[in-house]
């Protein structure tokens, strides 16, 4: 049960008085074309607001402030049902500055990225920093830290470690359960986490990438009721038929909306909503998040009113956020005035009845803060690396290769003959689009290094890209076409204590510093965006014709719960067999 603060006696009396026209509203939005997400129709009326809550809809003229919508559309504000703030590379308070002008006033975030590096200290930081933002940021607690036992993360979080966090008013659930063997085998610690969520009447999020019908049944039996990992319409329909809610993901690394929209119709749309999961800063600034999903869905042929319903009411109902998600008396006055329904052109954003953004600009920015960073920076702790540690000698004539799929986080498993030197060591090849991939433990100086071969990154000769963002354990990951470029990139990342680095011809040609857990910038979002631009300029030099996000693709090559072949600091990992294999 979500912890919604009940109204006081006085607040209830004031709402009723405004509805009964006995007292003026704080704000009246006149002449609105209201998007009714209950009935999927557009109705006309005035919206009377008191104490940040909609009191009435109809013919209302008395208000301390009057805003004339002039026949424009009024929608409930958007809700992102599943996002990792860390993937924006911003702190929560800076993230909110980017998202509110795009009409997103509520998010449900899973801080398992920072938790995998810093443990519960990272959770506490995210909760504390997010208090600075006039955005409703709800949290679901990381369920799998680490995500599997086949890699080394910075921390381990057990059920008892999560227990105190359920008392926080903005903690509403247990985050995506991705360790499906632990669920299906009823692992004691996993059972303890699931039972604690049930005991606290909290939601439990799913992560069902590539799971069978039997495994989906197991998840549902455990009380896991949603999934955001569908990549085909058939997968989405199977989950909905069995009783799950499906979040349609449209982020930077995974753009599943064009395929999943084929599964949605008027009869089942109430079981679908939108999420971004992971989205990079430049895309968030330029196109937004859920607003962009709505626009794309409409462009692809979805009924506009269904698209708005998926972005608002369906998410709210899925998380028992019964005080938002619709333009209705008694609901929070989180509202958008929209010029163009299909293009989702947002003119004004209201949060709790206050105008907070207009024409894509915040009205007033809140203070930037660097408080509570103690123990959250200087997280790159690793032993020195040399060329001998990153050599690859395939065990057979054909090597096991990871092939990326552009704009997806799943990969293909290939077996191909690769170039080698006279001693049988793999030689990266720009001509054949084959890169060396290295994942090195960076939390506790353990010295573990995994190596593999990846195809599809389209890197030029003598180049490399490296990052301390590598889901979900966030070790250091590097791909390159020469050992020299790879080692330069990795050593530079250690020196700047985390971030994104691009190397070309023995030069650093782009970088972004991510000093907070090696995941997030401690700078204002404008400065962080400038550094992201530097990274993209570097990428244009090392991969000029790519049509995908390199660093999003790279970051998921280390996630051993997403099919098909991945690389951890302990070696090449075959997801379907849930075991390491030789290169």
């Amino acid at each position: 049960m979500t912890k919604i603060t009940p109204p006081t006696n006085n607040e209830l009396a004031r709402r009723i008085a405004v509805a009964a026209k006995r007292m003026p509203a704080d704000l009246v939005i006149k002449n609105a074309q209201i998007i009714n997400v209950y009935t999927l129709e557009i109705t006309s009326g005035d919206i009377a607001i008191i104490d940040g809550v909609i009191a009435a809809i109809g013919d209302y003229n008395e208000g301390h402030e009057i805003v004339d919508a002039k026949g424009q559309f009024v929608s409930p504000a958007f809700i992102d049902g599943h996002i990792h703030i860390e993937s924006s590379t911003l702190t929560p308070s800076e993230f909110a500055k980017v998202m509110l002008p795009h009409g997103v006033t509520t998010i449900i975030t899973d801080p398992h990225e920072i938790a995998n590096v810093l443990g519960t200290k990272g959770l506490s930081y995210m909760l504390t920093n997010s208090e600075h933002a006039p955005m409703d940021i709800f949290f679901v607690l990381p369920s799998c830290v680490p995500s599997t036992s086949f890699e080394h993360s910075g921390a381990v979080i057990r059920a008892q470690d999560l227990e105190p966090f359920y008392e926080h008013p903005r903690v509403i659930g247990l985050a995506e359960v991705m360790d499906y063997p632990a669920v299906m085998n009823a692992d004691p610690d996993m059972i303890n986490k699931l039972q604690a969520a049930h005991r606290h009447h909290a939601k439990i999020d799913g992560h069902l990438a590539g799971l069978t019908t039997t495994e989906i049944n197991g998840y549902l039996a455990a009380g896991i009721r949603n999934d955001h990992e569908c990549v085909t319409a058939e997968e989405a329909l199977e989950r909905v038929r069995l009783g799950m809610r499906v979040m349609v993901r449209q982020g930077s690394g995974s753009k599943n909306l064009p395929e999943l929209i084929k599964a949605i119709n008027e009869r089942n749309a109430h079981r679908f909503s939108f999420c971004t999961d992971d989205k990079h800063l430049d895309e968030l600034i330029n196109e937004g998040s859920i607003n962009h999903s709505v626009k794309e869905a409409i462009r692809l042929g979805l009924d506009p009113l269904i698209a708005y319903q998926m972005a608002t009411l369906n998410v709210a109902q899925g998380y028992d956020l019964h005080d938002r998600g619709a333009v209705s008396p008694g609901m929070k006055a989180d509202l958008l005035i929209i010029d163009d329904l299909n293009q989702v052109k947002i003119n004004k954003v209201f949060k709790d009845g206050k105008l907070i953004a207009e024409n894509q600009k915040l009205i007033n920015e809140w203070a930037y803060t660097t408080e509570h960073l103690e123990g959250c920076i200087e997280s790159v702790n690793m032993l020195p690396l040399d060329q001998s540690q990153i050599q690859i000698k395939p065990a057979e004539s054909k090597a096991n290769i990871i092939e990326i799929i552009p704009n997806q986080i799943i990969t293909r498993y290939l077996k191909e003959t690769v170039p080698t030197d006279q001693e049988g060591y793999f030689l990266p090849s720009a001509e054949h689009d084959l890169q060396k991939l290295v994942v090195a433990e960076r939390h506790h100086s353990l010295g573990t290094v995994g190596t593999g071969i990846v195809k599809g990154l389209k890197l030029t000769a003598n180049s490399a890209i490296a990052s301390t963002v590598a889901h979900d354990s966030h070790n250091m990951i590097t791909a390159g076409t020469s050992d020299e470029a790879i080692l330069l990139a990795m050593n530079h990342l250690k020196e700047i204590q985390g971030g994104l680095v691009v190397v070309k011809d023995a030069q650093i040609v782009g970088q972004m510093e991510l000093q907070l857990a090696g995941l997030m910038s401690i700078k204002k979002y404008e400065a962080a965006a400038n550094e992201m631009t530097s990274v993209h300029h570097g990428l244009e030099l090392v991969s000029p014709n790519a049509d995908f996000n390199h660093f999003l693709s790279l970051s998921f090559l280390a996630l051993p719960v997403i099919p098909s072949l991945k690389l951890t600091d302990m070696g090449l990992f075959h997801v379907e067999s849930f075991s390491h294999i030789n290169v």
Side-chain angles (χ1 to χ4, degrees):
M1 182 181 298
T2 301
K3 306 153 193 171
I4 296 173
T5 303
T8 65
N9 288 7
N10 183 56
E11 287 171 336
L12 285 172
R14 285 164 59 83
R15 293 178 195 177
I16 295 169
V18 170
K21 301 183 179 180
R22 294 196 301 268
M23 67 176 286
D26 291 336
L27 168 69
V28 176
I29 300 176
K30 296 283 294 178
N31 304 312
Q33 295 294 306
I34 300 167
I35 298 173
N36 192 314
V37 292
Y38 295 120
T39 61
L40 299 180
E41 61 183 335
I42 295 174
T43 59
S44 300
D46 308 325
I47 304 167
I49 297 165
I50 185 78
D51 299 328
V53 173
I54 299 170
I57 296 172
D59 183 12
Y60 286 83
N61 298 300
E62 298 297 320
H64 297 295
E65 181 182 0
I66 304 292
V67 172
D68 190 351
K70 299 179 180 179
Q72 293 177 326
F73 300 99
V74 174
S75 166
F78 299 138
I79 306 171
D80 193 332
H82 177 77
I83 186 169
H84 304 286
I85 292 176
E86 302 97 313
S87 292
S88 74
T89 66
L90 299 177
T91 61
S93 60
E94 289 297 297
F95 170 83
K97 293 177 183 177
V98 174
M99 296 317 305
L100 284 166
H102 291 295
V104 179
T105 61
T106 299
I107 66 168
I108 295 90
T109 186
D110 170 11
H112 78 204
E113 317 298 355
I114 196 170
N116 267 284
V117 180
L118 302 176
T120 56
K121 182 179 291 186
L123 304 187
S124 296
Y125 172 80
M126 297 294 279
L127 284 163
T128 300
N129 181 270
S130 59
E131 292 173 0
H132 294 279
M135 168 189 263
D136 290 330
I137 301 178
F138 292 100
F139 287 78
V140 284
L141 300 176
S143 64
C144 302
V145 177
S147 60
T148 72
S149 60
F150 300 100
E151 57 189 333
H152 292 104
S153 67
V156 176
I157 296 181
R158 304 293 185 194
Q160 61 267 29
D161 302 319
L162 297 176
E163 190 68 31
F165 289 94
Y166 279 110
E167 301 304 317
H168 194 285
R170 288 186 286 115
V171 170
I172 63 173
L174 184 68
E176 53 182 318
V177 178
M178 60 184 69
D179 190 352
Y180 72 88
V183 175
M184 298 306 293
N185 295 321
D187 173 82
D189 189 62
M190 178 57 71
I191 292 297
N192 287 338
K193 290 176 182 176
L194 294 171
Q195 197 280 328
H198 285 294
R199 179 162 33 88
H200 288 283
H201 305 287
K203 294 293 182 179
I204 307 176
D205 288 349
H207 177 111
L208 285 74
L211 296 196
T212 65
T213 301
T214 298
E215 290 159 344
I216 297 169
N217 279 318
Y219 264 56
L220 282 162
I224 301 166
R225 310 301 300 183
N226 66 45
D227 185 29
H228 61 275
E229 292 290 341
C230 297
V231 296
T232 68
E234 291 75 19
E235 285 182 338
L237 287 172
E238 180 178 31
R239 285 150 177 74
V240 168
R241 286 170 182 145
L242 286 170
M244 277 196 167
R245 292 180 180 270
V246 168
M247 287 186 270
V248 177
R249 176 173 53 190
Q250 188 74 358
S252 292
S254 293
K255 301 181 186 295
N256 306 128
L257 191 155
E259 174 62 26
L260 298 190
I261 202 171
K262 301 171 186 175
I264 303 170
N265 57 52
E266 281 196 7
R267 296 186 300 277
N268 64 23
H270 65 286
R271 303 299 291 179
F272 288 88
S273 59
F274 292 118
C275 77
T276 51
D277 198 1
D278 298 279
K279 197 159 188 180
H280 266 194
L281 175 57
D282 52 337
E283 291 183 57
L284 290 172
I285 290 173
N286 294 331
E287 65 187 26
S289 63
I290 301 303
N291 60 304
H292 181 68
S293 295
V294 173
K295 180 180 176 180
E296 280 295 289
I298 295 170
R299 183 184 68 81
L300 291 168
L302 189 66
D303 183 318
L305 296 180
I306 289 178
Y308 279 87
Q309 182 191 62
M310 288 173 57
T312 56
L313 182 66
N314 293 3
V315 199
Q317 290 182 338
Y319 283 98
D320 290 342
L321 296 172
H322 299 307
D323 63 344
R324 70 196 69 207
V327 184
S328 170
M331 292 287 194
K332 288 171 70 73
D334 294 354
L335 303 170
L336 312 177
I337 295 182
I338 296 173
D339 291 336
D340 187 314
L341 189 71
N342 292 353
Q343 294 298 314
V344 197
K345 186 179 178 183
I346 300 171
N347 179 269
K348 292 181 174 66
V349 180
F350 293 87
K351 179 74 186 78
D352 296 320
K354 304 291 185 183
L355 181 65
I356 196 167
E358 188 170 14
N359 296 323
Q360 300 294 300
K361 300 288 184 183
L362 287 172
I363 301 298
N364 294 299
E365 285 198 7
W366 50 98
Y368 165 71
T369 178
T370 55
E371 295 178 347
H372 311 291
L373 285 173
E374 299 82 6
C376 297
I377 56 178
E378 298 184 357
S379 65
V380 180
N381 303 295
M382 56 191 297
L383 298 176
L385 284 171
D386 60 41
Q387 189 171 8
S388 66
Q389 294 171 279
I390 62 171
Q391 298 278 40
I392 299 174
K393 181 177 282 189
E396 301 175 5
S397 59
K398 290 188 175 182
N400 294 313
I401 299 172
I402 303 169
E403 183 182 30
I404 71 162
I405 302 173
N407 299 313
Q408 300 291 340
I409 61 176
I410 59 174
T411 64
R412 293 190 184 97
Y413 175 8
L414 302 180
K415 288 184 74 74
E416 292 182 359
T417 301
V418 298
T420 59
D421 64 15
Q422 291 182 344
E423 297 179 7
Y425 289 105
F426 167 64
L427 292 173
S429 169
E431 179 184 357
H432 296 96
D433 198 10
L434 292 170
Q435 299 84 33
K436 181 176 288 187
L437 187 65
V438 179
V439 176
E441 191 275 335
R442 60 105 170 167
H443 304 294
H444 304 296
S445 298
L446 299 179
T448 50
V449 179
T451 56
I453 302 170
V454 62
K455 184 174 185 176
L457 285 172
K458 301 181 180 179
L459 298 181
T460 58
N462 301 313
S463 66
I465 57 176
S467 174
T468 46
V469 180
H471 301 281
D472 277 331
S473 288
H474 298 293
N475 288 305
M476 188 180 291
I477 187 168
T478 310
T481 52
S482 77
D483 290 352
E484 293 75 17
I486 289 171
L487 291 170
L488 174 59
M490 297 181 79
N491 288 328
H492 188 71
L493 269 186
K494 181 181 177 182
E495 181 182 333
I496 66 174
Q497 280 296 300
L500 313 175
V501 169
V502 184
V503 170
K504 174 67 175 173
D505 295 329
Q507 300 291 323
I508 305 296
V509 295
Q511 74 170 36
M512 182 178 192
E513 295 183 3
L514 302 177
Q515 294 175 305
L516 175 52
L519 303 174
M520 291 178 281
S521 173
I522 58 174
K523 300 174 183 176
K524 293 182 179 181
Y525 79 89
E526 298 95 339
N530 288 337
E531 290 191 7
M532 181 68 79
T533 298
S534 160
V535 168
H536 283 295
H537 287 161
L539 288 172
E540 289 172 3
L541 297 176
V542 302
S543 186
N545 299 313
D547 57 354
F548 58 92
N549 188 307
H550 281 82
F551 279 103
L552 252 296
S553 296
L554 184 70
S555 70
F556 282 102
L557 293 179
L559 181 56
V561 294
I562 299 288
S564 178
L565 200 60
K566 298 299 173 81
L567 181 69
T568 77
D569 66 302
M570 297 169 66
L572 195 61
F573 190 80
H574 184 231
V575 178
E576 283 78 3
S577 65
F578 229 60
S579 63
H580 284 105
I581 61 174
N582 293 324
V583 177

